Amino acid sequence: MPVTTIAWHDNKIRLIDQTRLPTELFYLEIDEVETLLEAIVKLRVRGAPAIGVAAAFGVLLGLRQFDDSTSRTVFFTELESLIRRIKNTRPTAINLTWALNCMNKIAQRYQQESITIIKEKMLQQAQQIYQDDQNANRKLAKIGSSLIPDDAQIITHCNTGALATVDYGTALGTVFSAHAAGKKLHLWVDETRPLLQGARLNMWELQNEGIDCTLICDNMAAFVMAQHKIDLCIVGADRIVANGDTANKIGTYSLAVLAKFHQIPFYIAAPTNTFDLTLSQGDKIPIENRGAEEITNGFGRRTTPEGSKVFSPAFDITPAELITAIITEKGVIRPPFAVAIRLQLKKP
Ligand code: MRU
């Protein structure tokens, strides 16, 4: 079984420190919101669904000193500032904002109750977000696995497995599900520069599951597509907007362009809380920029002269026209996306 990435235990968040993988499987116990903020920014916990869950429990950490002796004004002022601080850690993945909004809504709904009751309701909400993530992943993984033929050659970019979610995963979850159904598979794993989520995390998860996989540098994907019969590309998402444009790890867009050229189906797999229908198209999605040192010193030593200018967007936008279908826990969405997305999201 794939690992459990994050859990709420003894009023603490227990999570795998993903920066230590693949060489060390180390669990962090977090009981301070400041430590959680650092963990999200440093990508100790990462992947859109996982940071959504971390954010929900992070709100509880930030409120833990309050009880019925706290004034309502102090409680709600602190809640607002807490939500703002957690939201600001990583701007692109909508799951983070979505989870924080869920937590805020519950607090507002029970605002007339005692602080103890409000906090109890918020804990239940966070646990619901946690369970929903587990359920959605398994459902979408099963739905997505039907799109994977036996003997498939698959290419993927960035980590979307158990480590990017509570457990199991989205895009990689479809692969786990197809593998569990007895299909023979081979994965081409993009290294995913600059932070190597493919090399460090996908390879670790796929090897643990006994799935045949080969690591390539991101710039080898075109050659692999030209040389090998790649059956499909499958990746995750950090935000999918109303017209289907999708933000995902930097390099996803290039892979989608390559897939189009080589006539390879390009699938996105994501739970429905990754959709943001308030935005009409992808150019409105805020894109996180990362620090230069992740590129200049990414391999533990300088790889470029001092003073080099660096541009490091963490995500890019894949235009909807390059996407064959979007796999969700409610079913597979196919073009024309604008209409199909709205219909699908309305389903219970
Ligand atoms: O910067 P990261 O590692 O958090 O980026 C993660 C991705 O881009 C994933 O593909 C996306 O969050 C989906 S995870 C199921």
Side-chain angles (χ1 to χ4, degrees):
M1 271 300 291
V3 289
T4 297
T5 299
I6 180 164
W8 177 253
H9 175 69
D10 203 14
N11 292 323
K12 293 184 195 123
I13 300 174
R14 186 167 194 267
L15 54 83
I16 296 177
D17 182 348
Q18 299 186 35
T19 60
R20 300 199 189 199
L21 285 171
T23 47
E24 198 185 349
L25 178 58
F26 182 83
Y27 287 85
L28 283 172
E29 297 255 337
I30 299 180
D31 59 1
E32 293 280 346
V33 76
E34 298 305 328
T35 319
L36 180 71
L37 297 178
E38 191 269 354
I40 296 175
V41 169
K42 290 275 164 64
L43 273 55
R44 300 187 196 286
V45 57
R46 46 144 300 280
I51 58 175
V53 170
F57 286 119
V59 174
L60 297 169
L61 289 185
L63 297 175
R64 76 194 168 128
Q65 74 273 30
F66 298 132
D67 57 22
D68 290 342
S69 65
T70 313
S71 90
R72 225 167 274 277
T73 316
V74 169
F75 181 85
F76 279 97
T77 307
E78 183 55 30
L79 175 63
E80 201 187 316
S81 122
L82 197 53
I83 287 177
R84 198 178 39 249
R85 283 161 65 220
I86 302 177
K87 215 178 257 187
N88 286 342
T89 52
R90 300 199 75 192
T92 305
I94 192 67
N95 312 56
L96 185 79
T97 304
W98 171 85
L100 291 168
N101 289 346
C102 292
M103 295 298 281
N104 192 33
K105 263 190 219 153
I106 275 291
Q108 302 301 335
R109 187 183 307 160
Y110 291 95
Q111 59 177 292
Q112 298 309 333
E113 304 289 344
S114 67
I115 302 292
T116 306
I117 292 189
I118 300 173
K119 283 174 63 176
E120 255 171 47
K121 296 290 177 190
M122 292 176 83
L123 174 59
Q124 283 166 14
Q125 175 65 81
Q127 282 165 336
Q128 189 65 53
I129 291 171
Y130 186 94
Q131 274 169 26
D132 287 350
D133 185 62
Q134 292 181 302
N135 295 338
N137 289 341
R138 278 169 179 72
K139 274 193 201 153
L140 80 82
K142 190 150 186 263
I143 293 170
S145 70
S146 65
L147 298 171
I148 300 179
D150 193 20
D151 239 345
Q153 294 275 341
I154 303 168
I155 190 162
T156 192
H157 188 78
C158 198
N159 173 262
T160 54
L163 293 167
T165 59
V166 168
D167 57 17
Y168 212 75
T170 59
L172 218 56
T174 66
V175 171
F176 294 147
S177 179
H179 175 70
K183 290 182 187 171
K184 191 166 166 271
L185 310 169
H186 175 254
L187 267 281
W188 294 93
V189 177
D190 270 5
E191 189 181 36
T192 318
R193 282 281 286 140
L195 294 178
L196 304 172
Q197 287 91 332
R200 293 185 302 108
L201 311 176
N202 279 343
M203 292 302 285
W204 184 78
E205 286 199 47
L206 289 163
Q207 285 182 358
N208 288 349
E209 289 303 302
I211 298 174
D212 188 20
C213 51
T214 304
L215 179 65
I216 55 169
C217 299
D218 301 346
N219 54 3
M220 298 170 186
F223 185 70
V224 168
M225 286 181 182
Q227 296 281 307
H228 299 268
K229 287 193 173 62
I230 305 293
D231 297 288
L232 60 112
C233 301
I234 187 158
V235 297
D238 282 80
R239 194 183 301 217
I240 305 168
V241 298
N243 71 348
D245 290 353
T246 296
N248 192 50
K249 178 52 56 195
I250 191 75
T252 303
Y253 175 28
S254 350
L255 196 66
V257 171
L258 294 178
K260 186 77 163 183
F261 183 81
H262 292 95
Q263 298 177 322
I264 297 168
F266 189 87
Y267 297 115
I268 302 283
T272 47
N273 57 25
T274 306
F275 287 79
D276 178 2
L277 300 193
T278 68
L279 300 184
S280 55
Q281 51 189 57
D283 57 3
K284 307 222 165 38
I285 299 176
I287 298 293
E288 173 187 357
N289 274 302
R290 304 284 304 175
E293 66 293 343
E294 289 178 349
I295 294 182
T296 60
N297 292 57
F299 294 95
R301 67 177 193 89
R302 263 205 100 74
T303 54
T304 186
E306 290 283 352
S308 299
K309 278 209 280 184
V310 171
F311 175 49
S312 184
F315 301 95
D316 58 25
I317 313 291
T318 300
E321 65 195 279
L322 299 181
I323 299 169
T324 309
I326 304 172
I327 302 154
T328 76
E329 76 279 18
K330 294 187 179 184
V332 178
I333 308 176
R334 292 187 183 272
F337 285 121
V339 180
I341 287 173
R342 282 192 188 273
L343 286 176
Q344 187 77 270
L345 294 195
K346 270 192 201 142
K347 286 189 189 165

